[in-house]
Structures are given as structure tokens and as C-alpha cells.
Amino acid sequence: MSDHNCNCGGNGSRHCAPGNGKMDRRSFLRKSTVLASGIAAIAASLAPLRELTDLGSVDEFLQKHYKELSPAEMEKALERIRKEVERQYGIRPHLRDLKPMDGVEFVYCLNLTRCIGCRKCVHACVAENNQSRSPEIQYIRVLKMPNGTFDMEKGDHNYAPETVPEKGFFYMPVQCHQCKNPPCVKVCPVDATWQEADGITVIDYDWCIGCRYCEAACPYFARRFNFATPSVPKEQINSDMAYLGNRPRHKGVMEKCHFCIQRTREGKYPACLEVCPTGARKFGNILDPDSEVSYILKNKRVFVLKEEVGTLPRFFYYFDV
Amino acid sequence: MNADAKKSLVLNGSAIVFVALAGAFLLDLWGRPVATVPIVPVAPDFTNTATVRLSAAELVRTGGDASGLDCYVCHEKGKTPVIHFGTNNLVILPKEHEDLVMRHGRNDRNDNCYNCHDADNLDMLKTRDGHKSKITESSRLCGSCHGPTYRDWEVGIHGRTSGFWDRQRGAMVRQDCTSCHDPHSPAFPAMKPGPRPNQLHPEKDVAENGKETH
């Protein structure tokens, strides 16, 4: 009788596996070494996944569109974001969802005679709105323009003289114009950006898919994309946050000026206006006939940028004549 | 080479390749994305909301050292100081007032202390039509010459505003003329601009006529 049927000519189980399919010790060890090293190689090739800490939670993934959230669901989402901020930055933010106020439509006016191009608005905005410091994201771009032209091609945003203003130039800060006919909203394939009743075009950072169509559609270069994970130093985070405003963003979403929703919907002036040393910036409710912006629109010769593209901006420039 | 040796060679070989691959992946021999240019944090000056200068009114309101506003510490009451003019018709400043820069008005047409200061009471200001005001309430005096600007300032169009646009929620804070303008040299001072936008590829930008194009 024989319990093995190999044809190696050896003497039984010493040389080859017995008939029930078991392999011998040497071949088992060798094969498992190859298998183990193969698995190690695959695991090592997936190592970059360890850096994916910015994935977002399941709750975030399952969260509904902003406009479909019930008050209870909104509170749940706010609590989730508060916890995320607390984990990441070590502070409990004052985060809330601010709705547009009744009878309010915001308008911005900027006096180009007064602007000296000091860029304080740019940096106050970055600090207020928790924009990424590195890579750098800024909502406001200040253009240095030669006197006597509005040819945007002649604008220079890299000027760095010892002091401003320079003779023969004027300075034109450009940010989101909060258009009444916004091309960025029209092109969004997922309705992640829309115009609110008070005229502010907002973005739901949890709904944005990062296709950057809106960036391409905007004629004012107002929208910015988070190509990398935004980095804000812990000690510089602004804890006064709004859901549609300055709460921290993830990698891969758009952001832009929202007229400091966390300030303006509570009656305050935006940060760029507060910091402007010359008072070139004016902001207010155009539906209030006694507001500063109403006075400017009634009494100054205002104009909008790129009027011919039909965006109907709520951002007006003017000169003191 | 028999079949067994061949098999063992293949198995050993693949094990070595796998281990080498694992090592290469872990050490990331394919390299990481190119390191970005480190960005220097912005100086706090550029996010500071303070006015460019301290007006007399603000100095008094905040309880600062207002001794410099009391003219009669040095001057004698009831005695009008005489202004000396040089050959070019410009005021010669006494050495006690040497820190002043007299540049109010183009072509030095406003180069006389008593255009604004009251000759009879140095603690007061006086408009051309005789209206007197305290040094801490100078805006009306400025407005007596700069009418359109004063009108704009009154409605909140000229000059800085801060606080609340919504008056029901809080007050709008206004500034005096002298919070931004030195009354003796009122042109708004030139300032150092904040850092320019960070360039991702500085060396390339310099090559392109020192100007970034995007």
C-alpha cells in the first residue's frame, strides 16, 4: 500500500508532499517568503495614503446640500465642523449659520482717488477669513495702473516700491464683485455656489467638487482654488466663523470673497474696509436710502469693471472729482 | 539546470525584487512634489486697523499726555506771538516748533499760523469768518475751506469708517480730519506697501522681464 503517488522516485514523504495536498517545509517557507515580500511591496506602494488625513468624515460625505438641510441637520453639521476645528486648531470656534437679513442688499464702493495701493486690505482679509498662508490664497488683488487708461493688460499686481503711491499711477483693488448676473453660478454643475437674497454669492465648501468651472467663468479673477491642503498657523486662526463664510476649507474646493459674511450679516463692516488707512472703501445697504453707498451712487460718478460683459456687479468704483 | 533549481531561482529572484520595491516605495525614491517657496508671515502692521496718526481729540479721549496742547505753558497770556517771515515769504519756525513741517496748501499759500490759530487765544482755532473752536474740534475749521470734502465727510463718504453699517446694531465710528491728515502738512503720507502676492516660480518670473504674467 502507498499513501503517496508522486513520481519523484524518492522514499515517501521526505522529498515531496504527501497525497493529501500538503507541501513540504522548504517549499512552504520559500513560497511564503515571496508572498510576504510581495505583500510588503504593495503595502509600501500605498504608503502615500497615510498622508490622506484630509479625507473628511462619513457624516460630511453623507451631508445634504445646504439648501436642503433642516435646522436639526444644520446644527449637526455645525457641531461636526466645530469638532473638526477644535481637533485641528485647538480652539472651539464661534461657528454659526447666518441667514440674509430682510430688506438688505449689500453694495461696495471703492474710491480710486483715495486708494494708495498699500495692500493692507489684502492681508487683513487673509487674517479675517482664514485663508491658506502656504500655499498662499488672497481674495483681493491690487492692480497698479498707469494714469489715463483702464486697459487691464497694463495692470501690475507685483509692484514692490519702497513707498506707495507712486507718481503717475493709480491703484485698483479687485475682489469678488458679487454680480447680480453671476457667470460663476451659472456654470457650477452641482449648485455648490449660488446668490443669496442680500446679494452675496456664497459657496457650500462641503458640496463643491473642485471642477474650477467657476474660476474660468469669472471675468474678475475673483475665485481661488485650494490646490493643496490649506495651512493656517494655529495662533492666527479667526474663531469667529460662519458656515458660508470663513470656516476652514479642505483641499480641492473653491473659495472667494464673501463680503465677510460673518461680520456683515451681524451689522459690522467687512475687514478690508476696517483696515483701509485712507477710507477709500465704503460698504452698506443699497436698499437704505440714507446709507453711505446710496449717497455715493446718487452723487458720485460711479462705474463698474468690465461693464460690457453684463455681469451687473455690486462693486462700484469712483473717483472724487 | 533542472526544474527545481529554476523554480528556486525564480522564487528567490521575485522575493528580492519585491523587497527592493518595498524599500524603494518606503524611501520614496521617486521623489516628492517640489518643495514650495517658504512664505514669510505678514508683519502685524499690515493688519493693524489703527489710524495713520493720533489726532488731538483722540489723544484727549484716550487719556494720553495732552500737555503739548497747552500753549500757555510756554507762551505768555495776552501777548500775541509775532511770526517772522523769510525772504521767500515763508514762515521761519522758532526752534520750539522745529518739528513742524509747513506744507499746507499748494505754492505755500497757506503759510501763516493765524490762518487757523486764534492769535488772541492760542488754545483755540479760528476760521476766517471768526468762528472759534477748540483744538480737539478742528474738523469744522477744516470744513470752512474744504467745503465739498467736509460735506462728504459729514455723510461718511470721505475718511475712515469702522464699527457697524447697521445703525440699529451698533454705532459707526468716525475719525477726525487730523486722524489721517497732519494739519500743517495735510497730504496723506506715503506708506510702505504690504508684501506682494507670493510667486510660485520666482526664477521664471524674473526671466520674463521681472514680471509675472498670470
Side-chain angles (χ1 to χ4, degrees):
Chain A
M1 104 154 240
S2 165
D3 60 356
H4 60 89
N5 52 2
C6 76
N7 51 5
C8 66
N11 187 12
S13 60
R14 205 201 117 253
H15 192 229
C16 58
N20 61 4
K22 285 184 184 161
M23 60 173 74
D24 69 5
R25 185 185 175 81
R26 179 189 286 183
S27 128
F28 170 74
L29 283 175
R30 188 177 279 161
K31 279 182 181 159
S32 25
T33 308
V34 176
L35 193 67
S37 59
I39 289 171
I42 290 169
S45 75
L46 298 176
L49 285 180
R50 283 178 310 186
E51 287 159 26
L52 264 185
T53 51
D54 200 20
L55 259 187
S57 62
V58 180
D59 282 343
E60 185 187 334
F61 183 73
L62 295 175
Q63 187 180 309
K64 286 192 218 157
H65 187 275
Y66 174 83
K67 291 180 192 168
E68 294 172 350
L69 288 172
S70 69
E73 285 167 329
M74 173 48 87
E75 192 39 53
K76 202 179 144 197
L78 291 174
E79 192 49 39
R80 170 182 66 74
I81 298 163
R82 282 187 203 115
K83 278 189 183 138
E84 279 173 19
V85 172
E86 206 169 357
R87 201 184 59 231
Q88 204 177 346
Y89 298 101
I91 51 142
R92 178 101 180 146
H94 174 49
L95 173 75
R96 68 277 192 215
D97 175 41
L98 291 166
K99 299 288 183 199
M101 297 155 73
D102 284 334
V104 171
E105 187 177 341
F106 292 126
V107 154
Y108 214 120
C109 295
L110 204 153
N111 189 341
L112 294 175
T113 310
R114 301 288 162 228
C115 179
I116 57 168
C118 67
R119 289 207 190 96
K120 279 185 89 167
C121 50
V122 177
H123 298 291
C125 171
V126 169
E128 169 71 26
N129 290 308
N130 296 323
Q131 276 130 275
S132 174
R133 310 298 203 270
S134 174
E136 190 176 69
I137 287 189
Q138 296 174 342
Y139 295 164
I140 306 173
R141 213 33 88 102
V142 186
L143 296 176
K144 182 177 101 173
M145 305 274 286
N147 279 349
T149 180
F150 265 101
D151 182 1
M152 307 304 281
E153 296 286 320
K154 293 188 177 135
D156 173 18
H157 62 200
N158 279 321
Y159 63 90
E162 272 303 301
T163 55
V164 284
E166 291 168 276
K167 220 171 163 50
F169 295 93
F170 70 97
Y171 298 85
M172 185 159 72
V174 183
Q175 63 203 77
C176 177
H177 281 30
Q178 313 292 359
C179 308
K180 198 160 192 157
N181 184 20
C184 53
V185 168
K186 283 186 220 166
V187 296
C188 182
V190 295
D191 197 22
T193 181
W194 65 91
Q195 198 177 169
E196 297 256 287
D198 57 5
I200 303 178
T201 295
V202 294
I203 303 168
D204 184 353
Y205 308 118
D206 291 337
W207 204 256
C208 174
I209 57 171
C211 69
R212 298 174 64 210
Y213 281 22
C214 54
E215 188 185 2
C218 176
Y220 305 109
F221 182 43
R223 286 179 170 255
R224 301 288 186 275
F225 185 64
N226 284 287
F227 279 100
T229 307
S231 76
V232 184
K234 272 184 188 174
E235 65 280 4
Q236 286 178 22
I237 199 90
N238 175 15
S239 64
D240 183 36
M241 294 178 188
Y243 183 93
L244 294 172
N246 61 344
R247 68 184 167 110
R249 277 76 65 182
H250 288 302
K251 177 180 176 177
V253 300
M254 296 302 304
E255 58 180 288
K256 69 166 188 71
C257 161
H258 41 75
F259 278 180
C260 285
I261 235 171
Q262 68 280 359
R263 300 175 62 94
T264 52
R265 281 194 180 164
E266 295 213 316
K268 291 184 206 154
Y269 283 115
C272 49
L273 183 148
E274 292 264 351
V275 82
C276 178
T278 65
R281 290 170 166 271
K282 296 292 160 197
F283 176 87
N285 178 11
I286 193 65
L287 302 181
D288 171 9
D290 299 326
S291 67
E292 297 111 274
V293 286
S294 294
Y295 182 90
I296 292 170
L297 261 60
K298 263 182 260 169
N299 295 291
K300 303 281 180 182
R301 283 196 260 178
V302 299
F303 65 94
V304 295
L305 200 54
K306 299 194 184 177
E307 186 184 7
E308 68 281 7
V309 295
T311 48
L312 305 177
R314 288 192 181 85
F315 199 102
F316 297 87
Y317 295 96
Y318 66 103
F319 288 97
D320 271 342
V321 185
Chain B
M1 192 186 278
N2 63 21
D4 202 27
K6 212 180 206 170
K7 199 163 137 198
S8 121
L9 190 74
V10 169
L11 287 178
N12 288 343
S14 14
I16 289 166
V17 168
F18 282 147
V19 169
L21 273 175
F25 282 134
L26 278 180
L27 294 174
D28 204 0
L29 294 185
W30 281 270
R32 306 201 162 243
V34 183
T36 45
V37 188
I39 294 171
V40 187
V42 172
D45 295 3
F46 295 113
T47 52
N48 184 356
T49 55
T51 50
V52 288
R53 65 192 298 280
L54 191 65
S55 68
E58 192 65 26
L59 185 72
V60 171
R61 193 154 48 227
T62 53
D65 175 23
S67 59
L69 298 177
D70 188 359
C71 305
Y72 290 109
V73 169
C74 305
H75 288 281
E76 200 180 321
K77 264 207 168 120
K79 192 179 159 198
T80 303
V82 182
I83 305 172
H84 299 284
F85 292 93
T87 47
N88 49 6
N89 251 0
L90 296 182
V91 170
I92 299 167
L93 290 168
K95 72 176 189 313
E96 291 83 3
H97 285 307
E98 261 175 0
D99 55 327
L100 296 179
V101 180
M102 297 292 280
R103 205 165 292 143
H104 192 137
R106 284 176 199 167
N107 310 319
D108 305 309
R109 280 181 303 200
N110 193 22
D111 196 40
N112 187 324
C113 308
Y114 300 134
N115 283 352
C116 300
H117 290 281
D118 183 2
D120 303 326
N121 183 356
L122 297 176
D123 280 342
M124 299 293 274
L125 301 168
K126 190 175 157 191
T127 60
R128 297 289 275 178
D129 59 6
H131 182 88
K132 291 188 182 188
S133 58
K134 286 186 197 160
I135 287 185
T136 51
E137 292 158 6
S138 58
S139 293
R140 178 107 186 250
L141 169 88
C142 305
S144 69
C145 291
H146 302 278
T149 311
Y150 185 68
R151 179 198 63 208
D152 280 357
W153 177 79
E154 276 191 311
V155 289
I157 307 307
H158 179 97
R160 293 188 56 159
T161 43
S162 51
F164 291 80
W165 64 264
D166 187 354
R167 308 284 184 272
Q168 284 156 3
R169 297 221 192 184
M172 172 174 79
V173 181
R174 297 307 319 280
Q175 303 293 342
D176 297 325
C177 307
T178 52
S179 293
C180 300
H181 302 285
D182 179 346
H184 300 108
S185 174
F188 195 82
M191 291 172 73
K192 184 177 158 42
R196 60 184 186 168
N198 181 63
Q199 292 163 305
L200 287 173
H201 308 288
E203 60 299 328
K204 191 179 135 215
D205 296 323
V206 172
E208 288 168 7
N209 309 322
K211 200 175 157 186
E212 198 192 9
T213 44
H214 92 260

